[in-house]
Amino acid sequence: MGIVRNIAAIAKGMSVTFREMFNPTIVENYPDGPGPTRGAMFQERFRGMHVLQRDESGLEKCVACFLCAAACPSNCIYIEAAENTAEKRVSGAERYAKVYNIDYNRCIFCGYCVEACPTDAITHGHGFELATYNASSLIYRKEQLLAGTPAHEGANAIFSQYENARLVPNK
Ligand code: SF4
Ligand code: SF4
């Protein structure tokens, strides 16, 4: 009986193999494929490189509350807070993140920071091309994580003032 059971198990396993042999082969033609992802395919829920979001007026949503850093199990978020002033308003609240770094050497893309954020300032984007030979380049700065400036940026005098003063251009 044991032999019959073993043969049945092998036949069952091989049936999967033979079935797959006649299915069309689907491969991702990355990095030579079309589109912005160069042929890579991923699900909407894919957790890629973070994005620091802006509100509809172009101000940064991050209010430097440090909750994301506290929730991070890898201790890879570094924030320095600063006060908004009448002359230089960066976020809609009292404070903003003057420095916001994420160390992708340590990040495990768990999403806890996204869950912890009370203002939806930090989200996972779909960026995935993080591989590098230089570990120090895996520490991403706020300027690399910030969402693109809104189309009406030029109309917002305060926002533009801040943008013009930035040392590192937005990616
Ligand atoms: S995804 Fe997880 S590990 Fe990465 S920064 Fe957020 S909380 Fe930390
Ligand atoms: S990203 Fe969100 S949780 Fe983190 S400091 Fe900014 S506002 Fe707070």
Side-chain angles (χ1 to χ4, degrees), residues 18-125:
F18 285 123
R19 201 167 54 238
E20 289 302 320
M21 276 173 64
F22 297 106
N23 278 344
T25 308
I26 299 170
V27 293
E28 294 185 23
N29 192 24
Y30 175 82
D32 300 317
T37 62
R38 301 197 289 155
M41 290 184 283
F42 44 79
Q43 299 297 317
E44 266 307 299
R45 64 178 183 273
F46 169 71
R47 293 187 199 139
M49 194 179 128
H50 298 80
V51 179
L52 288 173
Q53 302 289 348
R54 298 178 187 274
D55 66 17
E56 56 284 349
S57 12
L59 295 171
E60 293 172 18
K61 282 187 168 183
C62 178
V63 296
C65 68
F66 290 80
L67 286 177
C68 52
C72 177
S74 309
N75 202 19
C76 62
I77 300 179
Y78 175 80
I79 302 169
E80 283 178 21
E83 301 278 332
N84 283 302
T85 60
E87 298 76 39
K88 183 181 169 184
R89 172 155 293 281
V90 179
S91 78
E94 231 171 79
R95 299 194 304 174
Y96 69 97
K98 188 174 155 200
V99 176
Y100 193 110
N101 296 346
I102 296 183
D103 184 350
Y104 283 107
N105 289 291
R106 304 167 62 107
C107 177
I108 54 171
F109 297 89
C110 63
Y112 284 7
C113 51
V114 176
E115 296 296 322
C117 181
T119 61
D120 292 332
I122 186 162
T123 60
H124 278 290

Side-chain angles (χ1 to χ4, degrees), residues 55-59 149-157 159-160:
D55 66 17
E56 56 284 349
S57 12
L59 295 171
T149 49
H152 60 275
E153 178 201 341
N156 185 329
F159 181 71
S160 297

